[in-house]
Amino acid sequence: MRILLVEDDRRVTAVMTSMLQRRGYEVEHAATATAALAAAPCDLVLLDLNLPDGDGVDVCRTLRARNEHLGIIAVTARGEERDRVTGLRVGADDYVVKPFSMAELQARIEALLRRAARHVPPREAVEVGGLKIDHAARTVELHGRPVSLTRKEFDILASLARQPGVAVTRERILLDVWQTTWSGRHTLEVHVASLRAKLDEPNLVQTVRGVGYRLRTD
């Protein structure tokens, strides 16, 4: 699971990064609004609203507009009711006021990820290039040719098809398909290799080095 930590305070960054890494998360850090908006794809953002080069509210609004499924937790010293309401209205899924308990933050992260795994509804059918995925019927066609997939292979393809053309992290796929971020990367790689062989178009599911996979759109 890849987390983007947007925080300009070095001490807070060091403590939170250590805590998150001990719990198995991969952490990318951004100290400014500019860096946050330029960061690589991730599964969840912990967002300080007080940033040296901009307002975190604007960052939150932009990230939400880019990806409706991205988990965002505002982690900030702004504790007034109007601040909390604004943060939630512009797209944050949750709001934590500093100082906070690491145990509480961890619990909120886990709760958000569980909700995301349960409630991202697949579209009934997706067509990408010559690929057609029917979620309701759980069938796949490539250029009109039926492709027989196992349950896991179908779920991996469906996870990628939620955001065609967008890099999806390995951890996100593991959560979608296996409902865990347990580090079963070898298992995922084996299933992706089998999926590519059955599609008989190896470059359709592209590897994004250091991140995960992407469904080609052309």
Side-chain angles (χ1 to χ4, degrees), residues 122-128 131-137 139 154 161:
R123 287 178 285 177
E124 288 191 2
V126 176
E127 294 193 46
V128 183
L131 186 67
K132 181 178 180 181
I133 304 168
D134 188 325
H135 292 276
T139 59
F154 180 90

Side-chain angles (χ1 to χ4, degrees), residues 68-81:
E68 63 178 315
H69 302 305
L70 176 64
I72 303 176
I73 300 179
V75 183
T76 176
R78 299 183 190 176
E80 299 293 330
E81 180 181 7

Side-chain angles (χ1 to χ4, degrees), residues 11-13 32 35 43 57-58 66 73 95 97 103 120 131 148 168 170 181 184 186:
R11 185 185 62 81
V12 174
T13 296
T32 65
D43 301 293
V57 169
D58 294 330
R66 288 179 181 175
I73 300 179
Y95 199 100
V97 178
V120 176
L131 186 67
S148 178
V168 183
R170 291 180 176 82
T181 57
H186 179 66

Side-chain angles (χ1 to χ4, degrees), residues 95-148:
Y95 199 100
V96 178
V97 178
K98 298 176 182 176
F100 55 87
S101 155
M102 285 296 181
E104 178 187 357
L105 179 61
Q106 171 67 15
R108 289 176 182 270
I109 290 172
E110 291 173 352
L112 178 57
L113 295 177
R114 283 196 302 271
R115 289 200 301 273
R118 269 191 221 113
H119 297 299
V120 176
R123 287 178 285 177
E124 288 191 2
V126 176
E127 294 193 46
V128 183
L131 186 67
K132 181 178 180 181
I133 304 168
D134 188 325
H135 292 276
R138 294 183 69 83
T139 59
V140 174
E141 294 181 1
L142 183 59
H143 303 305
R145 170 179 64 86
V147 181
S148 178

Side-chain angles (χ1 to χ4, degrees), residues 29-50:
H29 173 238
T32 65
T34 301
L37 294 176
C42 64
D43 301 293
L44 185 144
V45 179
L46 300 177
L47 177 63
D48 185 11
L49 300 184
N50 296 317

